[in-house]
Amino acid sequence: MAIREIKPGVYYVGATDWDRRLFDELIPLPDGTSYNAYIIKGRDKTALIDTVDPTKEEILIENIRELGIKKLDYIISNHAEQDHSGTIPRILTLFPEVTLVTNKKCKGFLIDFFSIPEEKFMVIEDRERLSLGNKSLEFILAPWVHWPETMLTYLVEDRILFSCDLFGSHLANSSLLAKEDAKLLSSAKRYYAEIMMPFRNSIKGHLRKLEDIDIKLIVPSHGPIYQKPQFIIDAYKDWISDNVKNEVVLPYVSMHGSTEKMVAYLIDALIKRGIDVLPFNLTKTDIGELAIGLVDTATVIIGTPTVLTGPHPAVVGATYLANALRPKMRFASIIGSYGWGGRTTNIIAEMLSNLKVEIIEPVIIKGYPKNEDFKALDNLAETVLRKHRENNIV
Ligand code: FEO
């Protein structure tokens, strides 16, 4: 991405990755991503805020050259994950005089990853400031968004918050400044769901801390810059709140049609009772869409056939992911069929051990569903409705 001056002396020098479709070999990126890095030219000193993924290091180097930076005083490392730190070794080679500014924990990671010598570091504490002359940087430690060493950097005079992965979106975009619209909200929610959701409680604390800070721009490490900070702060407040929707997320797999028939019947039974349903056929769905669905649903019902003695492996993967993402859902259940036996219910229930959910009586049937099985599905839908109403989930 071309260099942009977002404020006098503050330049975007990062890189857009239009074609990347998978992150961490796990997370789908339907809209690519960007690795945002910034140069801040103060009267006396110049700082680089984060670097870029090593696959794009030439773009960062070229941008720094094009800006005519002859002397770089500081690299601020907000986060040690390699998509932001991976080009630090190259910058250290090009600017041997530079000091690497970060917190103690991040320093440890950077030494582990890149064998950077101790003497290159300046270790800062929470709320410590660093002067660049007419501009000053304040560091705000924000552990667990989404690693233990993460921090934010606030450019005091321009009221810009460099928020690291927090508030990010995997959205390659030619416009650096966000249009705060439905598309961006959807990308940011996907990002929250896939990366930030397990750290909901940590984020609550960080947002409280940010209330005392006057923020004009939020500049995340991925995706566009928020010109209306409240747009993304309010969205996060909603996602991290304890509020859930009158909704059922229904990830499922069917091998010979029995589970699919049950899923179709249950969807109608829930809709008839005024409950929204988000079904995900796990053989076809983008797992990120499932993660988004988990952000604020009240209930998850997992549909699976029995493979050997347990759930279908695709269901095992989705259940593992749901457990790891720790959504705030309140209830869970299981539906599915078997031919000659198995431990499907126990295996899935054990896999949800991170979640504080009440398990509603599963409906596991033998063979193809019959009248009594449809009645059991009606009972399940009725129980979900009752549980939602009892908990004021409307
Ligand atoms: Fe964008 Fe956690 O790195």
Side-chain angles (χ1 to χ4, degrees):
M1 188 182 260
I3 297 169
R4 320 287 169 84
E5 187 175 44
I6 59 168
K7 288 278 173 188
V10 182
Y11 302 89
Y12 179 89
V13 289
T16 305
D17 202 337
W18 299 97
D19 292 331
R20 190 161 181 179
R21 287 293 173 269
L22 202 58
F23 201 87
D24 294 343
E25 301 305 312
L26 171 68
I27 297 168
L29 303 180
D31 301 307
T33 191
S34 64
Y35 317 109
N36 299 343
Y38 293 85
I39 285 283
I40 303 176
K41 281 186 183 173
R43 189 187 56 228
D44 304 328
K45 306 278 186 185
T46 299
L48 171 65
I49 310 270
D50 291 315
T51 68
V52 299
D53 191 88
T55 56
K56 299 290 177 190
E57 69 175 22
E58 291 307 327
I59 293 176
L60 175 64
I61 303 300
E62 188 52 41
N63 285 345
I64 291 173
R65 273 201 195 109
E66 202 179 314
L67 261 183
I69 306 292
K70 298 280 188 296
K71 181 170 180 288
L72 185 64
D73 298 285
Y74 303 114
I75 305 171
I76 314 298
S77 180
N78 283 323
H79 178 26
E81 194 168 9
Q82 289 87 337
D83 52 324
H84 309 296
S85 67
T87 305
I88 288 176
R90 183 84 185 276
I91 300 287
L92 291 176
T93 307
L94 293 172
F95 297 94
E97 75 288 359
V98 75
T99 298
L100 188 45
V101 181
T102 192
N103 61 75
K104 188 178 169 198
K105 198 168 271 293
C106 191
K107 173 186 166 184
F109 281 122
L110 294 174
I111 290 174
D112 289 343
F113 293 160
F114 306 116
S115 302
I116 298 169
E118 284 266 349
E119 62 269 21
K120 297 305 296 178
F121 286 91
M122 176 194 294
V123 172
I124 51 79
E125 303 291 335
D126 189 32
R127 305 313 283 262
E128 194 172 327
R129 287 191 177 189
L130 177 69
S131 174
L132 305 179
N134 57 338
K135 293 183 186 291
S136 42
L137 303 174
E138 180 172 327
F139 306 106
I140 302 162
L141 301 197
W144 294 111
V145 289
H146 59 124
W147 279 18
E149 87 302 359
T150 41
M151 70 178 198
L152 323 177
T153 297
Y154 180 61
L155 176 52
V156 178
E157 291 75 10
D158 294 295
R159 293 180 287 155
I160 299 175
L161 182 71
F162 297 90
S163 65
C164 177
D165 280 347
L166 184 64
F167 305 130
S169 58
H170 284 309
L171 181 59
N173 198 354
S174 59
S175 172
L176 188 57
L177 298 176
K179 291 184 193 72
E180 280 91 354
D181 57 9
K183 172 66 182 168
L184 179 59
L185 189 64
S186 164
S187 291
K189 188 171 186 181
R190 173 186 276 265
Y191 189 93
Y192 168 82
E194 293 167 335
I195 295 166
M196 295 294 168
M197 185 153 60
F199 310 104
R200 195 165 67 93
N201 289 326
S202 298
I203 295 171
K204 282 181 186 174
H206 300 324
L207 289 195
R208 278 195 293 274
K209 219 168 167 180
L210 293 182
E211 280 171 7
D212 299 332
I213 300 174
D214 182 13
I215 302 169
K216 192 158 173 39
L217 291 179
I218 288 183
V219 179
S221 298
H222 300 283
I225 293 171
Y226 298 94
Q227 302 175 86
K228 298 176 189 160
Q230 213 56 41
F231 172 85
I232 192 66
I233 289 173
D234 286 347
Y236 262 67
K237 280 184 178 168
D238 180 33
W239 298 333
I240 65 174
S241 76
D242 294 332
N243 301 334
V244 288
K245 290 181 185 167
N246 181 29
E247 184 179 271
V248 169
V249 163
L250 216 171
Y252 71 95
V253 174
S254 186
M255 289 162 64
H256 299 292
S258 296
T259 302
E260 190 164 35
K261 185 82 180 167
M262 296 174 76
V263 165
Y265 189 89
L266 182 61
I267 289 172
D268 282 350
L270 291 164
I271 290 173
K272 277 179 199 162
R273 288 166 175 82
I275 300 168
D276 289 334
V277 189
L278 295 177
F280 295 95
N281 182 335
L282 294 172
T283 64
K284 297 173 183 164
T285 196
D286 164 346
I287 206 77
E289 294 290 329
L290 172 61
I292 294 170
L294 292 172
V295 168
D296 37 28
T297 192
T299 298
V300 170
I301 298 177
I302 295 166
T304 183
T306 302
V307 177
L308 300 174
T309 58
H312 189 283
V315 168
V316 172
T319 306
Y320 178 87
L321 185 70
N323 189 56
L325 292 177
R326 297 173 183 258
K328 56 191 176 184
M329 66 196 211
R330 313 272 182 84
F331 307 101
S333 191
I334 304 151
I335 63 171
S337 70
Y338 64 93
W340 55 89
R343 293 185 58 246
T344 294
T345 299
N346 288 346
I347 291 170
I348 291 179
E350 283 164 14
M351 287 186 70
L352 294 175
S353 60
N354 280 347
L355 307 184
K356 295 185 182 104
V357 289
E358 179 184 338
I359 304 283
I360 298 173
E361 183 67 27
V363 180
I364 305 293
I365 68 159
K366 192 167 192 306
Y368 201 71
K370 302 161 192 69
N371 283 343
E372 63 269 27
D373 303 320
F374 294 125
K375 275 187 200 145
L377 291 170
D378 276 322
N379 286 341
L380 174 57
E382 197 60 34
T383 306
V384 171
L385 177 64
R386 181 165 51 77
K387 296 280 182 190
H388 284 196
R389 283 186 176 161
E390 285 169 1
N391 287 275
N392 296 317
I393 301 165
V394 290

